[in-house]
Amino acid sequence: MTTKHGNSVKAAVAVRKEIIITGFGGQGIVLAGQIVGKAAGLRDRKQSTLTQSYGPEARGGACSAQVIISDQAIHYPYVRKPDILICMSQGGFEKYGGLLGENSILIVDQDLVNPPEARCAAFFSIPATRLAEEMGRKMMANIVMLGFFTAVAGAISTEAARQTVTESVPKGTEELNLAAFNKGYDYGAAVLKGRQKKAEGKKGAL
């Protein structure tokens, strides 16, 4: 775009992320979606929406949370092409994996999801449930996953995520949930660091 004075003006590019978190009832999938949406909307000062769906059984059935984050108004709250797909069950991947695009990020619980080669820009895995079990709280796997997602995807700020986790979990469990978040976050940071070193090594190779 050029102004009448001949100055070039770069058009503002909207920042928008469409995210699906999927798994089965009892894993805290919807809570994870709520935390992502709240962190973006209330802490990072962006627009956000959340929609959720359940399978026939509330616990054990398939469920998902769809979150959209944007710096502009969101007119349609359902995800059509996820930029980020987080899978905590094989069934969730089988249901939503086909929506991945070449620029999408796929994140899975590596002990629960075994995806075939998927079309995406980046693939990350973490043993979220196992790490939560090591802490003595399997039900905090969703918070471990949230920490990992925050580290590798960059869709919400770390501080916003940590504050929202603390405000969203049951009273008396804040410190333990924050520890679960940090465990996932540190795991993600280590994965990114390892990939960076590997990439630098390739550049230096003859």
Side-chain angles (χ1 to χ4, degrees), residues 90 93 108-110 112-116:
Q90 186 68 30
F93 174 79
V108 306
D109 186 318
Q110 69 186 46
L112 303 179
V113 184
N114 182 26

Side-chain angles (χ1 to χ4, degrees), residues 99-203:
L99 299 179
L100 288 166
E102 293 178 352
N103 296 318
S104 301
I105 296 173
L106 173 61
I107 302 172
V108 306
D109 186 318
Q110 69 186 46
D111 292 335
L112 303 179
V113 184
N114 182 26
E117 281 197 21
R119 184 183 63 169
C120 60
F123 171 69
F124 294 96
S125 65
I126 176 176
T129 301
R130 195 188 335 149
L131 292 174
E133 286 174 340
E134 289 172 2
M135 298 179 69
R137 297 294 181 97
K138 183 180 178 181
M139 62 189 302
M140 290 184 183
N142 61 334
I143 304 299
V144 175
M145 180 61 87
L146 266 179
F148 185 71
F149 155 79
T150 302
V152 303
I156 54 176
S157 71
T158 306
E159 192 54 35
R162 284 198 174 107
Q163 289 180 353
T164 310
V165 166
T166 302
E167 295 166 357
S168 303
V169 297
K171 295 293 180 189
T173 68
E174 294 92 339
E175 286 191 14
L176 199 53
N177 274 286
L178 201 53
F181 178 91
N182 289 337
K183 185 173 277 287
Y185 186 89
D186 291 345
Y187 194 99
V191 168
L192 289 180
K193 190 174 180 180
R195 290 190 180 190
Q196 184 179 358
K197 281 186 176 179
K198 190 175 180 181
E200 289 172 354
K202 281 184 178 177
K203 285 178 184 175

Side-chain angles (χ1 to χ4, degrees), residues 83-105:
D83 299 290
I84 304 165
L85 174 61
I86 303 171
C87 295
M88 295 188 69
S89 74
Q90 186 68 30
F93 174 79
E94 290 169 0
K95 183 172 183 179
Y96 295 104
L99 299 179
L100 288 166
E102 293 178 352
N103 296 318
S104 301
I105 296 173

Side-chain angles (χ1 to χ4, degrees), residues 5-103:
H5 302 294
N7 298 323
S8 177
V9 177
K10 186 178 284 187
V13 177
V15 176
R16 178 186 174 97
K17 294 289 183 188
E18 297 193 0
I19 303 163
I20 294 178
I21 307 171
T22 181
F24 44 81
Q27 286 182 305
I29 297 298
V30 172
L31 175 61
Q34 290 172 345
I35 291 173
V36 173
K38 283 183 182 177
L42 300 180
R43 297 290 178 184
D44 288 340
R45 303 296 181 187
K46 295 182 179 178
Q47 303 291 319
S48 67
T49 62
L50 168 70
T51 56
Q52 58 197 54
S53 68
Y54 295 95
E57 307 98 7
R59 191 173 188 84
C63 70
S64 70
Q66 302 190 7
V67 182
I68 298 177
I69 300 170
S70 177
D71 56 3
Q72 296 186 353
I74 300 167
H75 301 291
Y76 184 74
Y78 295 98
V79 173
R80 285 174 284 203
K81 209 73 175 171
D83 299 290
I84 304 165
L85 174 61
I86 303 171
C87 295
M88 295 188 69
S89 74
Q90 186 68 30
F93 174 79
E94 290 169 0
K95 183 172 183 179
Y96 295 104
L99 299 179
L100 288 166
E102 293 178 352
N103 296 318

